[in-house]
mmCIF file of all heavy atoms in Angstrom:
data_model
loop_
_atom_site.group_PDB
_atom_site.id
_atom_site.type_symbol
_atom_site.label_atom_id
_atom_site.label_comp_id
_atom_site.label_asym_id
_atom_site.label_seq_id
_atom_site.Cartn_x
_atom_site.Cartn_y
_atom_site.Cartn_z
ATOM 1 N N LYS O 29 78.201 51.668 84.482
ATOM 2 C CA LYS O 29 79.267 51.334 83.565
ATOM 3 C C LYS O 29 78.727 50.873 82.168
ATOM 4 O O LYS O 29 77.838 50.040 82.129
ATOM 5 C CB LYS O 29 80.227 50.262 84.127
ATOM 6 C CG LYS O 29 81.438 49.904 83.251
ATOM 7 C CD LYS O 29 82.219 48.815 83.908
ATOM 8 C CE LYS O 29 83.347 48.395 82.950
ATOM 9 N NZ LYS O 29 84.214 47.305 83.568
ATOM 10 N N ILE O 30 79.355 51.400 81.166
ATOM 11 C CA ILE O 30 79.009 50.961 79.810
ATOM 12 C C ILE O 30 79.748 49.649 79.535
ATOM 13 O O ILE O 30 80.968 49.757 79.300
ATOM 14 C CB ILE O 30 79.197 51.994 78.745
ATOM 15 C CG1 ILE O 30 78.397 53.295 79.112
ATOM 16 C CG2 ILE O 30 78.768 51.535 77.356
ATOM 17 C CD1 ILE O 30 76.935 53.211 79.009
ATOM 18 N N VAL O 31 79.078 48.511 79.395
ATOM 19 C CA VAL O 31 79.766 47.285 79.140
ATOM 20 C C VAL O 31 79.881 47.023 77.579
ATOM 21 O O VAL O 31 80.864 46.601 77.086
ATOM 22 C CB VAL O 31 79.117 46.084 79.809
ATOM 23 C CG1 VAL O 31 79.766 44.768 79.535
ATOM 24 C CG2 VAL O 31 79.020 46.332 81.366
ATOM 25 N N TYR O 32 78.779 47.386 76.888
ATOM 26 C CA TYR O 32 78.714 47.136 75.434
ATOM 27 C C TYR O 32 78.551 48.506 74.817
ATOM 28 O O TYR O 32 77.384 49.022 74.654
ATOM 29 C CB TYR O 32 77.605 46.270 75.025
ATOM 30 C CG TYR O 32 77.653 44.856 75.652
ATOM 31 C CD1 TYR O 32 76.768 44.522 76.700
ATOM 32 C CD2 TYR O 32 78.580 43.989 75.227
ATOM 33 C CE1 TYR O 32 76.839 43.291 77.258
ATOM 34 C CE2 TYR O 32 78.691 42.756 75.825
ATOM 35 C CZ TYR O 32 77.755 42.343 76.830
ATOM 36 O OH TYR O 32 77.827 41.163 77.432
ATOM 37 N N PRO O 33 79.737 49.205 74.336
ATOM 38 C CA PRO O 33 79.605 50.469 73.721
ATOM 39 C C PRO O 33 78.749 50.528 72.454
ATOM 40 O O PRO O 33 77.927 51.494 72.198
ATOM 41 C CB PRO O 33 81.032 50.853 73.360
ATOM 42 C CG PRO O 33 81.843 49.970 74.188
ATOM 43 C CD PRO O 33 81.040 48.723 74.432
ATOM 44 N N ILE O 34 78.764 49.412 71.627
ATOM 45 C CA ILE O 34 77.878 49.358 70.576
ATOM 46 C C ILE O 34 77.046 48.035 70.617
ATOM 47 O O ILE O 34 77.603 46.944 70.646
ATOM 48 C CB ILE O 34 78.631 49.374 69.146
ATOM 49 C CG1 ILE O 34 79.480 50.595 69.039
ATOM 50 C CG2 ILE O 34 77.739 49.181 68.022
ATOM 51 C CD1 ILE O 34 80.373 50.576 67.818
ATOM 52 N N CYS O 35 75.744 48.188 70.790
ATOM 53 C CA CYS O 35 74.893 46.923 70.930
ATOM 54 C C CYS O 35 73.568 47.177 70.325
ATOM 55 O O CYS O 35 73.193 48.367 69.904
ATOM 56 C CB CYS O 35 74.680 46.596 72.436
ATOM 57 S SG CYS O 35 73.863 47.815 73.507
ATOM 58 N N CYS O 36 72.743 46.135 70.202
ATOM 59 C CA CYS O 36 71.445 46.285 69.600
ATOM 60 C C CYS O 36 70.460 45.584 70.403
ATOM 61 O O CYS O 36 70.527 44.469 70.902
ATOM 62 C CB CYS O 36 71.504 45.621 68.180
ATOM 63 S SG CYS O 36 69.942 45.683 67.285
ATOM 64 N N GLY O 37 69.255 46.295 70.597
ATOM 65 C CA GLY O 37 68.099 45.617 71.246
ATOM 66 C C GLY O 37 67.072 45.378 70.203
ATOM 67 O O GLY O 37 66.806 46.198 69.263
ATOM 68 N N MET O 38 66.479 44.199 70.282
ATOM 69 C CA MET O 38 65.448 43.814 69.211
ATOM 70 C C MET O 38 64.050 43.457 69.938
ATOM 71 O O MET O 38 64.030 42.735 70.863
ATOM 72 C CB MET O 38 65.941 42.621 68.462
ATOM 73 C CG MET O 38 66.989 42.878 67.499
ATOM 74 S SD MET O 38 67.381 41.478 66.456
ATOM 75 C CE MET O 38 68.505 42.220 65.324
ATOM 76 N N ASP O 39 63.123 44.004 69.338
ATOM 77 C CA ASP O 39 61.663 43.769 69.821
ATOM 78 C C ASP O 39 61.095 42.759 68.727
ATOM 79 O O ASP O 39 60.813 43.193 67.557
ATOM 80 C CB ASP O 39 60.838 44.966 69.923
ATOM 81 C CG ASP O 39 59.517 44.761 70.557
ATOM 82 O OD1 ASP O 39 59.379 43.929 71.479
ATOM 83 O OD2 ASP O 39 58.585 45.357 70.071
ATOM 84 N N VAL O 40 60.899 41.554 69.059
ATOM 85 C CA VAL O 40 60.509 40.466 68.116
ATOM 86 C C VAL O 40 59.017 40.307 68.078
ATOM 87 O O VAL O 40 58.372 40.185 69.118
ATOM 88 C CB VAL O 40 61.245 39.159 68.451
ATOM 89 C CG1 VAL O 40 60.922 38.067 67.460
ATOM 90 C CG2 VAL O 40 62.791 39.384 68.462
ATOM 91 N N HIS O 41 58.511 40.206 66.878
ATOM 92 C CA HIS O 41 57.041 39.876 66.646
ATOM 93 C C HIS O 41 57.000 38.751 65.616
ATOM 94 O O HIS O 41 58.002 38.356 64.994
ATOM 95 C CB HIS O 41 56.316 41.111 66.225
ATOM 96 C CG HIS O 41 56.351 42.212 67.231
ATOM 97 N ND1 HIS O 41 55.394 42.318 68.254
ATOM 98 C CD2 HIS O 41 57.224 43.265 67.415
ATOM 99 C CE1 HIS O 41 55.650 43.342 69.009
ATOM 100 N NE2 HIS O 41 56.761 43.997 68.480
ATOM 101 N N LYS O 42 55.789 38.301 65.326
ATOM 102 C CA LYS O 42 55.558 37.320 64.368
ATOM 103 C C LYS O 42 55.960 37.636 62.945
ATOM 104 O O LYS O 42 56.692 36.954 62.167
ATOM 105 C CB LYS O 42 54.125 36.722 64.377
ATOM 106 C CG LYS O 42 53.833 35.674 63.424
ATOM 107 C CD LYS O 42 52.356 35.277 63.399
ATOM 108 C CE LYS O 42 52.070 34.165 62.372
ATOM 109 N NZ LYS O 42 50.619 33.827 62.410
ATOM 110 N N SER O 43 55.523 38.873 62.464
ATOM 111 C CA SER O 43 55.722 39.295 61.123
ATOM 112 C C SER O 43 56.842 40.242 60.919
ATOM 113 O O SER O 43 57.231 40.603 59.772
ATOM 114 C CB SER O 43 54.418 39.795 60.500
ATOM 115 O OG SER O 43 53.920 40.805 61.343
ATOM 116 N N PHE O 44 57.345 40.876 61.992
ATOM 117 C CA PHE O 44 58.368 41.889 61.910
ATOM 118 C C PHE O 44 59.188 41.894 63.186
ATOM 119 O O PHE O 44 58.779 41.438 64.190
ATOM 120 C CB PHE O 44 57.813 43.232 61.521
ATOM 121 C CG PHE O 44 56.995 43.903 62.646
ATOM 122 C CD1 PHE O 44 57.561 44.640 63.615
ATOM 123 C CD2 PHE O 44 55.629 43.668 62.706
ATOM 124 C CE1 PHE O 44 56.820 45.292 64.617
ATOM 125 C CE2 PHE O 44 54.810 44.180 63.765
ATOM 126 C CZ PHE O 44 55.455 44.988 64.684
ATOM 127 N N VAL O 45 60.359 42.584 63.018
ATOM 128 C CA VAL O 45 61.225 42.809 64.151
ATOM 129 C C VAL O 45 61.767 44.288 64.051
ATOM 130 O O VAL O 45 62.130 44.735 63.012
ATOM 131 C CB VAL O 45 62.405 41.824 64.179
ATOM 132 C CG1 VAL O 45 63.170 41.851 62.865
ATOM 133 C CG2 VAL O 45 63.306 41.974 65.339
ATOM 134 N N VAL O 46 61.815 44.929 65.212
ATOM 135 C CA VAL O 46 62.358 46.236 65.334
ATOM 136 C C VAL O 46 63.688 46.248 66.044
ATOM 137 O O VAL O 46 63.794 45.720 67.115
ATOM 138 C CB VAL O 46 61.371 47.240 66.084
ATOM 139 C CG1 VAL O 46 61.982 48.573 66.181
ATOM 140 C CG2 VAL O 46 60.022 47.270 65.420
ATOM 141 N N ALA O 47 64.696 46.657 65.299
ATOM 142 C CA ALA O 47 66.051 46.736 65.808
ATOM 143 C C ALA O 47 66.538 48.084 66.128
ATOM 144 O O ALA O 47 66.286 49.011 65.357
ATOM 145 C CB ALA O 47 67.054 46.008 64.883
ATOM 146 N N CYS O 48 67.127 48.248 67.298
ATOM 147 C CA CYS O 48 67.646 49.562 67.760
ATOM 148 C C CYS O 48 69.105 49.430 68.158
ATOM 149 O O CYS O 48 69.374 48.750 69.120
ATOM 150 C CB CYS O 48 66.774 50.146 68.914
ATOM 151 S SG CYS O 48 67.380 51.754 69.504
ATOM 152 N N ILE O 49 70.063 50.164 67.429
ATOM 153 C CA ILE O 49 71.450 50.148 67.815
ATOM 154 C C ILE O 49 71.736 51.230 68.722
ATOM 155 O O ILE O 49 71.409 52.442 68.359
ATOM 156 C CB ILE O 49 72.324 50.141 66.456
ATOM 157 C CG1 ILE O 49 72.081 48.937 65.647
ATOM 158 C CG2 ILE O 49 73.815 50.375 66.864
ATOM 159 C CD1 ILE O 49 72.897 48.928 64.376
ATOM 160 N N ALA O 50 72.390 51.061 69.804
ATOM 161 C CA ALA O 50 72.775 52.063 70.772
ATOM 162 C C ALA O 50 74.327 52.147 70.733
ATOM 163 O O ALA O 50 75.027 51.214 71.129
ATOM 164 C CB ALA O 50 72.298 51.678 72.192
ATOM 165 N N ALA O 51 74.865 53.297 70.275
ATOM 166 C CA ALA O 51 76.339 53.438 70.137
ATOM 167 C C ALA O 51 76.663 54.510 71.169
ATOM 168 O O ALA O 51 76.207 55.703 71.115
ATOM 169 C CB ALA O 51 76.613 53.826 68.714
ATOM 170 N N THR O 52 77.562 54.275 72.059
ATOM 171 C CA THR O 52 77.986 55.164 73.159
ATOM 172 C C THR O 52 79.468 55.595 72.891
ATOM 173 O O THR O 52 80.314 54.705 72.766
ATOM 174 C CB THR O 52 77.901 54.470 74.481
ATOM 175 O OG1 THR O 52 76.513 53.993 74.732
ATOM 176 C CG2 THR O 52 78.204 55.488 75.667
ATOM 177 N N ASN O 53 79.702 56.871 72.901
ATOM 178 C CA ASN O 53 81.037 57.419 72.636
ATOM 179 C C ASN O 53 81.869 57.389 73.942
ATOM 180 O O ASN O 53 81.378 57.085 74.978
ATOM 181 C CB ASN O 53 81.027 58.704 71.868
ATOM 182 C CG ASN O 53 80.258 59.833 72.699
ATOM 183 O OD1 ASN O 53 80.146 59.704 73.992
ATOM 184 N ND2 ASN O 53 79.793 60.836 72.037
ATOM 185 N N GLY O 54 83.076 57.936 73.842
ATOM 186 C CA GLY O 54 83.948 58.038 75.052
ATOM 187 C C GLY O 54 83.508 58.992 76.055
ATOM 188 O O GLY O 54 83.892 58.901 77.190
ATOM 189 N N HIS O 55 82.561 59.889 75.759
ATOM 190 C CA HIS O 55 82.049 60.900 76.698
ATOM 191 C C HIS O 55 80.745 60.379 77.367
ATOM 192 O O HIS O 55 80.150 61.120 78.126
ATOM 193 C CB HIS O 55 81.789 62.249 76.002
ATOM 194 C CG HIS O 55 83.024 62.771 75.405
ATOM 195 N ND1 HIS O 55 84.087 63.343 76.136
ATOM 196 C CD2 HIS O 55 83.388 62.925 74.105
ATOM 197 C CE1 HIS O 55 84.987 63.796 75.373
ATOM 198 N NE2 HIS O 55 84.655 63.568 74.166
ATOM 199 N N GLY O 56 80.344 59.064 77.055
ATOM 200 C CA GLY O 56 79.161 58.610 77.543
ATOM 201 C C GLY O 56 77.802 58.992 76.985
ATOM 202 O O GLY O 56 76.728 58.727 77.513
ATOM 203 N N VAL O 57 77.959 59.581 75.747
ATOM 204 C CA VAL O 57 76.764 60.055 75.162
ATOM 205 C C VAL O 57 76.292 58.905 74.090
ATOM 206 O O VAL O 57 77.138 58.370 73.313
ATOM 207 C CB VAL O 57 77.049 61.340 74.300
ATOM 208 C CG1 VAL O 57 75.748 61.709 73.454
ATOM 209 C CG2 VAL O 57 77.456 62.420 75.175
ATOM 210 N N THR O 58 75.102 58.514 74.204
ATOM 211 C CA THR O 58 74.550 57.400 73.319
ATOM 212 C C THR O 58 73.646 57.937 72.254
ATOM 213 O O THR O 58 72.785 58.747 72.484
ATOM 214 C CB THR O 58 73.790 56.483 74.244
ATOM 215 O OG1 THR O 58 74.554 55.967 75.378
ATOM 216 C CG2 THR O 58 73.272 55.220 73.401
ATOM 217 N N THR O 59 73.931 57.504 71.032
ATOM 218 C CA THR O 59 73.053 57.724 69.888
ATOM 219 C C THR O 59 72.404 56.473 69.441
ATOM 220 O O THR O 59 72.850 55.355 69.663
ATOM 221 C CB THR O 59 73.954 58.311 68.690
ATOM 222 O OG1 THR O 59 74.970 57.429 68.420
ATOM 223 C CG2 THR O 59 74.510 59.678 69.146
ATOM 224 N N TYR O 60 71.218 56.621 68.904
ATOM 225 C CA TYR O 60 70.385 55.472 68.478
ATOM 226 C C TYR O 60 70.020 55.422 67.045
ATOM 227 O O TYR O 60 69.795 56.557 66.464
ATOM 228 C CB TYR O 60 69.124 55.487 69.354
ATOM 229 C CG TYR O 60 69.381 55.465 70.868
ATOM 230 C CD1 TYR O 60 69.388 56.684 71.579
ATOM 231 C CD2 TYR O 60 69.475 54.245 71.555
ATOM 232 C CE1 TYR O 60 69.586 56.613 72.938
ATOM 233 C CE2 TYR O 60 69.713 54.207 72.901
ATOM 234 C CZ TYR O 60 69.787 55.472 73.626
ATOM 235 O OH TYR O 60 69.969 55.452 74.928
ATOM 236 N N LYS O 61 70.062 54.274 66.557
ATOM 237 C CA LYS O 61 69.525 53.998 65.125
ATOM 238 C C LYS O 61 68.502 52.908 65.184
ATOM 239 O O LYS O 61 68.814 51.796 65.665
ATOM 240 C CB LYS O 61 70.675 53.634 64.215
ATOM 241 C CG LYS O 61 71.719 54.660 63.958
ATOM 242 C CD LYS O 61 72.768 54.220 62.934
ATOM 243 C CE LYS O 61 73.798 55.181 62.677
ATOM 244 N NZ LYS O 61 74.911 54.777 61.763
ATOM 245 N N SER O 62 67.299 53.182 64.663
ATOM 246 C CA SER O 62 66.243 52.120 64.636
ATOM 247 C C SER O 62 65.853 51.807 63.290
ATOM 248 O O SER O 62 65.881 52.709 62.411
ATOM 249 C CB SER O 62 64.976 52.649 65.444
ATOM 250 O OG SER O 62 65.348 52.878 66.838
ATOM 251 N N LYS O 63 65.519 50.597 63.033
ATOM 252 C CA LYS O 63 65.044 50.116 61.766
ATOM 253 C C LYS O 63 64.194 48.921 61.960
ATOM 254 O O LYS O 63 64.370 48.058 62.863
ATOM 255 C CB LYS O 63 66.243 49.716 60.863
ATOM 256 C CG LYS O 63 65.925 49.762 59.379
ATOM 257 C CD LYS O 63 67.249 49.679 58.544
ATOM 258 C CE LYS O 63 66.930 49.786 57.090
ATOM 259 N NZ LYS O 63 68.230 49.802 56.295
ATOM 260 N N ARG O 64 63.178 48.846 61.060
ATOM 261 C CA ARG O 64 62.225 47.707 61.102
ATOM 262 C C ARG O 64 62.424 46.841 59.862
ATOM 263 O O ARG O 64 62.599 47.283 58.799
ATOM 264 C CB ARG O 64 60.780 48.271 61.101
ATOM 265 C CG ARG O 64 59.648 47.255 60.987
ATOM 266 C CD ARG O 64 58.408 47.924 61.272
ATOM 267 N NE ARG O 64 57.266 47.007 60.848
ATOM 268 C CZ ARG O 64 56.012 47.211 61.244
ATOM 269 N NH1 ARG O 64 55.659 48.136 62.100
ATOM 270 N NH2 ARG O 64 55.063 46.271 60.889
ATOM 271 N N PHE O 65 62.424 45.500 60.242
ATOM 272 C CA PHE O 65 62.616 44.495 59.238
ATOM 273 C C PHE O 65 61.450 43.434 59.310
ATOM 274 O O PHE O 65 60.880 43.209 60.424
ATOM 275 C CB PHE O 65 63.889 43.722 59.400
ATOM 276 C CG PHE O 65 65.162 44.551 59.417
ATOM 277 C CD1 PHE O 65 65.644 45.186 60.540
ATOM 278 C CD2 PHE O 65 65.767 44.879 58.168
ATOM 279 C CE1 PHE O 65 66.713 46.051 60.489
ATOM 280 C CE2 PHE O 65 66.932 45.689 58.127
ATOM 281 C CZ PHE O 65 67.341 46.265 59.291
ATOM 282 N N SER O 66 61.043 42.903 58.228
ATOM 283 C CA SER O 66 60.110 41.776 58.137
ATOM 284 C C SER O 66 60.883 40.546 58.680
ATOM 285 O O SER O 66 62.097 40.499 58.682
ATOM 286 C CB SER O 66 59.485 41.662 56.847
ATOM 287 O OG SER O 66 60.440 41.090 55.881
#
């Protein structure tokens, strides 16, 4: 079951963090957007 249709996972480091947004539509298809921030 998809509990969070739009959520973000973060990989945390000392000098930067990588964020990945997972957006799931009504058909169960998930698209991803990733971005790196200092």
Side-chain angles (χ1 to χ4, degrees):
K29 180 181 177 181
I30 303 294
V31 180
Y32 301 107
I34 303 176
C35 63
C36 178
M38 288 190 173
D39 188 36
V40 180
H41 300 272
K42 180 182 179 180
S43 56
F44 67 91
V45 55
V46 178
C48 179
I49 295 177
T52 307
N53 59 23
H55 301 288
V57 178
T58 304
T59 57
Y60 301 93
K61 292 182 182 178
S62 296
K63 201 167 183 179
R64 173 170 166 162
F65 301 90
S66 73

